[in-house]
Amino acid sequence: MQTASVPGFIRTILIIVGIYYAFKILARLLMPFLLRKMVQKAEQSFKQQMNNPNPNSNQNQNTAASFEKPKPKKQVGEYIDYEEVE
């Protein structure tokens, strides 16, 4: 059975720390680009919704109508009121 060597352990720790800092630096460089793309995509979808409101308006009316009509509750049985007899 082999035992772990101290230089090998230190090397592994340095590799893990190096990967962590490399990821951190790349995230700082790439995050503004990714956020800008997400904002542009959201802006495009918002503009598209504002320019074409008709296809969704029929669907919105249907959902609003379903909220106005309460569904009747299913009756399970007859309600009986019991009085306490002394």
Side-chain angles (χ1 to χ4, degrees):
M1 181 182 277
Q2 290 183 344
T3 59
S5 63
V6 174
F9 178 73
I10 292 173
R11 180 177 170 220
T12 304
I13 296 297
L14 288 175
I15 289 173
I16 291 172
V17 170
I19 290 172
Y20 170 74
Y21 279 109
F23 179 76
K24 197 172 174 181
I25 291 170
L26 284 175
R28 280 192 182 173
L29 293 175
L30 294 177
M31 199 57 67
F33 174 74
L34 294 174
L35 287 175
R36 193 176 316 123
K37 283 291 187 183
M38 287 174 47
V39 168
Q40 286 175 354
K41 196 171 191 178
E43 185 179 355
Q44 278 182 339
S45 67
F46 180 73
K47 283 181 181 179
Q48 188 177 19
Q49 287 178 355
M50 294 306 286
N51 289 335
N52 299 326
N54 292 337
N56 293 334
S57 65
N58 192 14
Q59 182 181 7
N60 289 340
Q61 288 175 355
N62 290 340
T63 57
S66 66
F67 288 122
E68 292 172 5
K69 299 177 186 176
K71 295 182 180 179
K73 294 184 179 180
K74 184 177 178 183
Q75 284 189 338
V76 178
E78 186 177 337
Y79 178 74
I80 301 173
D81 189 19
Y82 293 98
E83 294 183 16
E84 187 175 326
V85 178
E86 292 184 21

